[in-house]
Amino acid sequence: MQLMTILLLISVGMSFFMMGYAATTPHQNAKARLCFSLMLVGLISLMIELAIFEEGGSFLYIISISGPLSVSVPIFFYLYFKASVGLSDEFQWRNARHLIIPFIYLAIMMPYNLLDEAGKSHFFSQVYAKEVISWPLSMTPIRFSRLLIISSLGLFYLYLSWRELHVELNNKKQDVLREMNKLKGAFLGISLSFIVIFLFFLFRLPHQFTWMISSILLVITAISCMIFYYLPVLGKKLISDADLHQLLPQKEQEFQREVDQASPEPDPLDKQYRSSVTTDLAKEVIHHLNILMQGGIYKDSTLSLGKLASQLKLSTHHLSQIINQQTQGNYFDLINQYRIKDAQHLLLNTNMSIIDIAYEVGYNSKSSFYTEFKRRTQMTPNQFKKSNKEP
């Protein structure tokens, strides 16, 4: 067995391991994990095809599988990356439009797929002898056409992923910038790999140089797995309006009317103004507020007092007054209380990195998370994790 075959098979094994890791880790959201696993399926099929080719075996049938799957690798990389750094992990039908090219490729390959092994061997002998072949088979993309499609799609979708990256860089604070900037080298490495594949197509190098494609594939697989492991988790499933309506009682109009009647707007000239919200009504608001918090609304890094008040059908002033009266603190104290409690749970019960936990519970930067965590626990996150670690 040749060295390149051994390396390809080791990479296949590592890819299966990463698929298992992606299926069980809380490191990314469900959509990101699925798209990453589908990308690995495409890489695995291509690596198996190359391993069979390196050993001189019959790879005529696996081309039917690895062809469309390998073409879809850049697409699933982009969908994975977008789901990972985006603010939503919902599966949307518009994402399916990206799969049009792989399905077209599969349709074009159908005449080839319907041939038996002898027919497929005869087809390739005709291609390499530059003989005339039937028109349905003449549309079947062969090796160099596939390299052109893969490299072109690869560079296009890497550009789209790069644009997504810069959108996040512009929206986040400096701590996130330092973490995200580490990915630039990885993008550069994958981009150079696809450029080499394009050059392979351009110069139509003979089969003796297939080891170059195998080497590039190993690099792409390794970098993709590295990105999955080190990519900061900026995207997380936030509580939706539909979920909020299910969490809260279906008496919003009556609830709002009762608040309005009980809580008139204060006269700014009256320094002796005190909120006329009744104790029972305030407790009801706090009850609804706790329902939203338990539903995870505090994980929204864009959450504000006004946004929370609109969900509760209250004015910002009224909600602020109720929180101050009922919790012995203000809005920020309440939000940070839930975020730090969730962070403590994640620190003790998961293997997520500190920065991943910070983003997961709703902070926009690692420094603000560290500051608030230490203020509430008198320990840094690392100290808290070590002090509560079982001996």
Side-chain angles (χ1 to χ4, degrees), residues 44-163:
I44 288 170
S45 67
L46 193 52
M47 286 187 286
I48 292 176
E49 176 193 331
L50 290 169
I52 294 174
F53 176 83
E54 292 286 348
E55 293 300 306
S58 178
F59 58 93
L60 299 176
Y61 278 103
I62 196 171
I63 288 178
S64 302
I65 300 172
S66 64
L69 286 178
S70 60
V71 167
S72 66
V73 166
I75 298 172
F76 282 121
F77 176 85
Y78 166 70
L79 293 177
Y80 146 68
F81 188 83
K82 186 174 182 180
S84 183
V85 302
L87 291 177
S88 173
D89 62 358
E90 295 179 356
F91 293 89
Q92 300 167 329
W93 282 109
R94 68 171 178 266
N95 291 331
R97 72 181 186 272
H98 294 285
L99 301 177
I100 292 176
I101 292 179
F103 279 114
I104 292 176
Y105 186 96
L106 180 62
I108 292 175
M109 288 192 68
M110 285 309 297
Y112 171 84
N113 294 338
L114 296 175
L115 297 175
D116 57 16
E117 186 168 0
K120 291 176 180 178
S121 297
H122 180 64
F123 162 73
F124 277 104
S125 65
Q126 287 179 302
V127 170
Y128 295 126
K130 297 183 179 180
E131 298 178 4
V132 178
I133 54 179
S134 60
W135 72 266
L137 289 174
S138 66
M139 295 177 64
T140 300
I142 57 175
R143 182 178 185 228
F144 292 107
S145 299
R146 180 157 45 138
L147 293 179
L148 174 62
I149 295 173
I150 293 174
S151 59
S152 300
L153 285 179
L155 292 174
F156 173 71
Y157 278 101
L158 277 173
Y159 163 73
L160 293 182
S161 301
W162 183 261
R163 190 174 65 178

Side-chain angles (χ1 to χ4, degrees), residues 151-256:
S151 59
S152 300
L153 285 179
L155 292 174
F156 173 71
Y157 278 101
L158 277 173
Y159 163 73
L160 293 182
S161 301
W162 183 261
R163 190 174 65 178
E164 289 289 331
L165 173 63
H166 276 269
V167 168
E168 291 302 325
L169 290 180
N170 291 331
N171 289 337
K172 300 297 179 180
K173 297 181 181 179
Q174 277 305 121
D175 288 348
V176 183
L177 293 182
R178 286 195 292 270
E179 296 294 327
M180 296 287 282
N181 278 328
K182 296 177 183 177
L183 297 175
K184 290 187 176 181
F187 270 91
L188 180 61
I190 295 182
S191 299
L192 289 175
S193 298
F194 280 111
I195 289 173
V196 173
I197 294 176
F198 182 79
L199 293 175
F200 196 101
F201 153 79
L202 197 63
F203 292 101
R204 294 184 174 269
L205 297 178
H207 284 80
Q208 290 84 344
F209 289 89
T210 302
W211 62 268
M212 290 176 57
I213 299 297
S214 300
S215 302
I216 292 170
L217 190 61
L218 295 176
V219 171
I220 291 176
T221 304
I223 294 178
S224 299
C225 292
M226 183 202 73
I227 290 177
F228 179 85
Y229 187 78
Y230 287 105
L231 182 69
V233 182
L234 303 182
K236 48 188 173 288
K237 186 171 179 59
L238 303 177
I239 189 167
S240 65
D241 290 337
D243 295 331
L244 288 170
H245 292 155
Q246 292 178 357
L247 289 172
L248 295 175
Q250 302 300 316
K251 299 180 179 179
E252 293 175 344
Q253 292 183 352
E254 292 82 353
F255 181 64
Q256 174 63 34

